[in-house]
Amino acid sequence: MRFVPFFPRLVRSTLTAGLLCAGALATGCSDRSSGPVAVSVVGVRDDFAKPLERLPDPGAKLILEATAQGLVAFDAGGEILPALAQRWIVQDDGRSYIFRLRRAFWPNGERVTAGDVARLLSARIDSLRRLDPDGPLDAVDAVVPMTGEVVEIRLTAARPFVLQMLAQPQMAILSSAGGTGPYRSQKRGKALYLKPVDKTEEAEEAAGALPAWQNRIVRAERAALAIVRFREGAADLVLGGRYADLPLLVPSGVDRDAVRVDPVQGLLGLAITGKGALLDDGDIRRAINMSIDRSQLPAMFPLGGWATSEQLLPAQFELPAPAPAPEWSALPIEERRARGRAAVGRWRAERKEPPPPLRIALPDGPGSTMLFALVAQGLHAIGLSAHRVAVKQDADLRLIDEVAAYDSALWYLGRVGCARGVHCSREAGDMLQSASLAATAEERAARIAQAVALTQAHDGYIPLGTPVRWALAARRLSGFMPSPRARHPLNHLFRATN
């Protein structure tokens, strides 16, 4: 397998534009030992300008985390830590979360109050519950300002994973004036210059008092350019790497020790989003699922520890027992495809017409080109044809590539549920709703397990494996570590307190 053709054109076009470090702050080059940390995140500048609209893009997540924190956040190791809330307590058997806010200000200088936070948080929770109606926020009854500095989230029933959900970028406390930090951003050409909020004013009063290494220069750009920038010493950190751009690393010449892989869990697979007689046929959906030879994926995306999957869940989570694998998973690929050809043959004979081609939406990048070839090969083997379309176009199969927001089967069920436009099992949805009304934790877990089984049997989602998340980190970033959440807070890049 040769990845080289993807990269030489990119190196020539990038480096002929001039030296990447020319112009210091104008381009964001930093002293590699003590200057501002230059960060490239894979994406486009709209990720910074409209982050809530661009989620879950890596650039949108990064800028929200940097400039508009929520009540709590994830640290570099994936653990919960204080953010806008300096501390909290959980009362009433898990039905009351009380947060004391730290002293914080909006970008216009006004003090952040509990009333502001309660209003903004209530609106955010309402919008998220429309997409994840059975998640950990389903039982939120009210968000109430108790004093000027204390906010309470009241639940009708205890729910685990509330704090994990509150640490998500989409839970950022963001007003029309902006966020509360931990950084303030200024535009510097095509990049953003970030200064720590708590030290910005005193640093302006005493010029030079703020060490340069505490500042960040952040830009969103194509993975190819980000890789070259890092290789040439003009960036200290590259974030947001995914499977689609992984082949670019092979010929890039980047030091292998600089490549960091996040041990994440989540979804990497194809959701069936098209309509019509072909995809409404359960045998056809199962045939599509069986047709893909997942054994080829590790060679295409060579990462240590990365695993393929034929199941919705990567772990048992709260289920009383591990979810059973599909009955066809033990069969060799030849027999799977033989069953698939038979299903397509029956469909064709019943309707006396060939099945329509399937539109498959994938993001840009050489990894997607390779993935499409693999999927199209499998579909061709069972008598179906396919063509690739852009992510924003209408599609019959659409890639889901997301890290799980919280450690529960509920996240996986919600992400491939009816509310997301995925071809779904109504019975599974009804079972999830009944789970929220269960009288005991055991009964709730049993109903969630049934919803998992129904969802998997419906074949509306075609699992491929766990998401691929990689970064490039310079040696100076002593606090950088692989993250099980693929979260790398910019104020945790050094072991010393930022």
Side-chain angles (χ1 to χ4, degrees):
M1 185 176 301
R2 299 183 64 223
F3 299 138
V4 176
F6 293 112
F7 199 71
R9 293 195 303 272
L10 168 127
V11 174
R12 290 195 295 270
S13 64
T14 301
L15 297 184
T16 55
L19 293 175
L20 290 174
C21 262
L25 284 182
T27 62
C29 179
S30 65
D31 184 306
R32 290 299 288 263
S33 62
S34 61
V37 177
V39 181
S40 290
V41 59
V42 177
V44 297
R45 286 198 293 274
D46 274 355
D47 293 341
F48 294 168
K50 303 174 182 178
L52 286 175
E53 298 177 16
R54 302 285 299 185
L55 289 173
D57 290 358
K61 287 185 175 182
L62 182 71
I63 205 62
L64 283 172
E65 186 173 66
T67 63
Q69 63 201 328
L71 289 172
V72 295
F74 286 118
D75 67 11
E79 300 297 325
I80 297 292
L81 79 167
L84 186 56
Q86 60 180 322
R87 59 183 181 271
W88 60 90
I89 58 174
V90 183
Q91 296 182 336
D92 196 16
D93 296 326
R95 291 179 294 181
S96 172
Y97 287 73
I98 299 175
F99 300 87
R100 177 169 290 277
L101 306 180
R102 65 174 177 80
R103 188 170 179 265
F105 297 88
W106 299 115
N108 61 9
E110 294 183 6
R111 180 77 178 268
V112 175
T113 68
D116 296 335
V117 172
R119 174 175 50 83
L120 295 167
L121 195 57
S122 294
R124 197 59 45 77
I125 289 173
D126 287 344
S127 66
L128 288 175
R129 288 203 297 195
R130 287 192 288 271
L131 291 176
D132 192 9
D134 302 297
L137 301 178
D138 71 325
V140 172
D141 182 50
V143 183
V144 181
M146 300 178 70
T147 71
E149 298 177 343
V150 177
V151 175
E152 180 186 16
I153 299 179
R154 298 174 182 168
L155 288 77
T156 57
R159 290 287 184 264
F161 318 115
V162 167
L163 290 176
Q164 290 184 5
M165 195 63 213
L166 291 176
Q168 296 303 313
Q170 55 266 44
M171 301 304 293
I173 305 300
L174 183 65
S175 74
S176 58
T180 62
Y183 293 94
R184 294 271 190 261
S185 67
Q186 303 172 359
K187 279 191 176 182
R188 297 283 183 94
K190 294 182 179 180
L192 292 181
Y193 194 85
L194 306 182
K195 299 178 72 174
V197 168
D198 293 341
K199 301 177 182 179
T200 298
E201 293 181 2
E202 66 181 65
E204 290 175 349
E205 292 173 3
L210 185 69
W213 61 266
Q214 293 195 13
N215 299 319
R216 308 289 182 257
I217 300 166
V218 185
R219 54 171 52 80
E221 57 192 359
R222 292 178 295 114
L225 181 55
I227 292 169
V228 174
R229 194 184 298 278
F230 182 88
R231 188 192 68 191
E232 298 300 308
D236 302 288
L237 182 62
V238 175
L239 296 174
R242 301 189 178 197
Y243 84 94
D245 302 302
L246 187 63
L248 297 176
L249 286 177
V250 176
S252 69
V254 169
D255 185 349
R256 182 174 295 182
D257 290 339
V259 181
R260 312 292 183 87
V261 179
D262 290 326
V264 299
Q265 291 186 339
L267 294 176
L268 178 66
L270 296 166
I272 294 180
T273 54
K275 299 178 181 179
L278 184 67
L279 295 178
D280 285 343
D281 189 311
D283 289 339
I284 295 296
R285 295 195 303 273
R286 186 168 298 106
I288 294 172
N289 202 349
M290 290 191 294
S291 73
I292 300 172
D293 186 0
R294 294 162 177 83
S295 67
Q296 295 187 38
L297 287 169
M300 293 168 58
F301 307 116
L303 288 176
W306 186 75
T308 63
S309 178
E310 291 151 342
Q311 295 184 253
L312 175 64
L313 302 185
Q316 183 174 336
F317 296 124
E318 67 267 53
L319 305 190
E327 53 86 16
W328 48 263
S329 62
L331 300 177
I333 188 64
E334 295 80 8
E335 186 169 344
R336 297 183 194 183
R337 288 176 173 174
R339 290 188 180 188
R341 282 193 297 273
V344 173
R346 285 194 297 272
W347 192 94
R348 183 190 292 263
E350 289 172 2
R351 287 161 182 79
K352 297 181 174 55
E353 61 181 13
L358 296 173
R359 302 161 297 173
I360 302 178
L362 298 171
D364 295 333
S368 290
T369 301
M370 296 160 60
L371 180 59
F372 174 77
L374 177 68
V375 174
Q377 177 190 50
L379 293 175
H380 178 75
I382 63 171
L384 296 175
S385 61
H387 65 269
R388 181 176 169 182
V389 299
V391 168
K392 292 186 178 180
Q393 290 182 283
D394 292 338
D396 300 301
L397 282 77
R398 186 176 300 277
L399 188 81
I400 297 178
D401 179 13
E402 294 183 24
V403 176
Y406 50 95
D407 301 326
S408 167
L410 292 173
W411 181 83
Y412 294 83
L413 290 167
R415 187 56 190 86
V416 299
C418 302
R420 298 284 188 149
V422 178
H423 204 297
C424 63
S425 164
R426 298 291 177 183
E427 293 83 359
D430 292 341
M431 189 60 64
L432 268 184
Q433 288 184 0
S434 71
S436 67
L437 303 174
T440 65
E442 292 76 14
E443 183 182 357
R444 176 177 166 82
R447 293 180 183 180
I448 293 173
Q450 292 180 57
V452 170
L454 288 166
T455 298
Q456 195 158 277
H458 187 78
D459 291 295
Y461 171 72
I462 300 167
L464 298 176
T466 55
V468 173
R469 295 293 183 271
W470 57 267
L472 303 176
R475 291 183 179 179
R476 70 178 287 215
L477 304 182
S478 58
F480 184 92
M481 65 176 66
S483 168
R485 307 283 176 191
R487 304 284 288 279
H488 302 285
L490 297 184
N491 56 338
H492 291 180
L493 297 180
F494 295 91
R495 289 199 184 100
T497 302
N498 287 9

